[in-house]
Amino acid sequence: MIREIRLWPDPVLRRKALPVEAVDASIRTLVNDMFETMYAAPGVGLAAPQIGVLQRVLVLDTRPRQPEVEPLAMINPRVVATEGGLSVYREGCLSIPGEAEEVERPAVVTVEFLDVEGRLQQLRCEGLLATAAQHEIDHLDGRLYVDFLPVLQRLSMRRRAKRRKLELPGNEQGQSTAL
Ligand code: NI
């Protein structure tokens, strides 16, 4: 089922999501809905708070840029290691349609998470996958990529976002690289 994507400055996007206690059928339904919602948008990543669910769940599919990377669902993900330098990527966000800005993040991260079967996994992420995983994990902590930008720039983006929300209630078409 496609869920409604919450748009900034919806306060739910600033809340901290809670760890998933048991990976059960309701979590698998949530994951399926999140994939469906992300593909429909379309985007390459989505975190549960973006559909108003405060649980530590995210989905990623960076195949538009990284054909070798399988779609991923991560439950209770956390970055356990970073390597290398920083990389800059022009990030968008499905909750902030019509905007994209360059953000600097560690180029390579290892993420530990539970898969949809409840098994503990570790994955070394590079390129867009590294950027997207960090962007989505930030969503689980109520952080948005705009927080990395200078405050005046963030405020003018926020004004535009509020105006856009009034003009276009409901979901707006996303971007193929939106996270
Ligand atoms: Ni986002």
Side-chain angles (χ1 to χ4, degrees):
M1 191 178 75
I2 294 177
R3 312 271 195 108
E4 185 193 344
I5 295 177
R6 303 297 189 89
L7 300 181
W8 187 52
D10 189 319
V12 77
L13 297 170
R14 290 308 195 178
R15 306 259 314 268
K16 202 171 156 74
L18 295 171
V20 171
E21 307 242 329
V23 182
D24 56 16
S26 71
I27 292 297
R28 285 186 280 274
T29 300
L30 173 64
V31 164
N32 288 338
D33 286 356
M34 286 173 62
F35 273 118
E36 212 178 316
T37 304
M38 177 183 76
Y39 290 132
V44 300
L46 186 73
Q50 292 182 275
I51 56 165
V53 176
L54 289 169
Q55 290 193 285
R56 303 187 76 83
V57 179
L58 61 85
V59 295
L60 298 164
D61 188 346
T62 60
R63 281 180 298 177
R65 299 286 180 88
Q66 297 174 297
E68 73 286 1
V69 178
E70 294 291 306
L72 286 159
M74 296 180 169
I75 297 155
N76 299 343
R78 60 192 189 98
V79 173
V80 293
T82 63
E83 302 163 48
L86 299 171
S87 78
V88 176
Y89 188 83
R90 192 170 161 80
E91 298 186 21
C93 179
L94 292 175
S95 295
I96 314 174
E99 304 278 358
E101 293 296 336
E102 288 191 340
V103 176
E104 202 175 54
R105 301 182 186 268
V108 182
V109 293
T110 300
V111 181
E112 190 177 88
F113 59 96
L114 298 174
D115 66 17
V116 289
E117 306 299 332
R119 291 175 301 221
L120 190 64
Q121 306 271 1
Q122 264 199 11
L123 184 68
R124 190 170 172 274
C125 305
E126 295 180 74
L128 176 57
L129 186 62
T131 291
Q134 292 173 82
H135 175 117
E136 303 311 335
I137 291 171
D138 276 354
H139 272 300
L140 303 180
D141 292 318
R143 264 198 308 276
L144 302 170
Y145 82 86
V146 297
D147 300 344
F148 293 96
L149 305 175
V151 64
L152 289 177
Q153 188 179 0
R154 182 164 71 245
L155 287 174
S156 68
M157 285 173 77
R158 195 172 188 277
R159 273 196 300 276
R160 283 200 296 275
K162 284 180 107 162
R163 213 159 43 226
R164 208 174 277 122
K165 246 178 119 161
L166 292 174
E167 286 165 3
L168 295 163
N171 285 342
E172 192 182 329
Q173 194 75 345
Q175 306 144 292
S176 60
T177 58
L179 310 163

